[in-house]
Amino acid sequence: MKLSQAVAERIRNILKEKNISQYRLEKEINMPHNTLKSLMRATNSGVNLRTVFQVACGLNMSIAEFFDDKIFDRENFDD
């Protein structure tokens, strides 16, 4: 798995847990649709930490809480 895929999966899981739509999150954090859409599709090879921070804040989480998930364990990532 790539980091961008893990971030997208983590966001999907949190949105589901909190029963929040992607559209609602976009509006909450004032993020352009294409930005979050790109992040959720994991189309970029990298992930912008500022964008992840913005998403985490919109989900009422710290960046540490966002990354505190087994999906980010090292063994889950491709070399």
Side-chain angles (χ1 to χ4, degrees):
M1 174 184 315
K2 296 184 188 305
L3 180 59
S4 58
Q5 293 168 316
V7 168
E9 186 65 28
R10 178 69 168 138
I11 294 170
R12 265 188 227 97
N13 291 341
I14 296 167
L15 289 175
K16 187 175 180 180
E17 283 173 20
K18 294 182 178 248
N19 197 29
I20 298 172
S21 70
Q22 185 176 321
Y23 176 79
R24 182 172 158 206
L25 177 61
E26 288 170 4
K27 294 302 175 192
E28 179 75 27
I29 61 178
N30 197 27
M31 180 177 282
H33 174 72
N34 286 339
T35 302
L36 191 56
K37 181 175 144 183
S38 175
L39 184 63
M40 297 303 289
R41 287 188 175 173
T43 53
N44 296 333
S45 58
V47 178
N48 185 313
L49 187 56
R50 182 181 302 264
T51 302
V52 176
F53 178 75
Q54 188 178 1
V55 168
C57 288
L59 295 168
N60 295 315
M61 306 175 83
S62 69
I63 196 79
E65 289 172 310
F66 182 86
F67 284 111
D68 185 24
D69 189 90
K70 290 195 179 289
I71 199 166
F72 296 109
D73 287 352
R74 186 163 179 79
E75 63 267 7
N76 293 328
F77 293 98
D78 301 334
D79 289 335

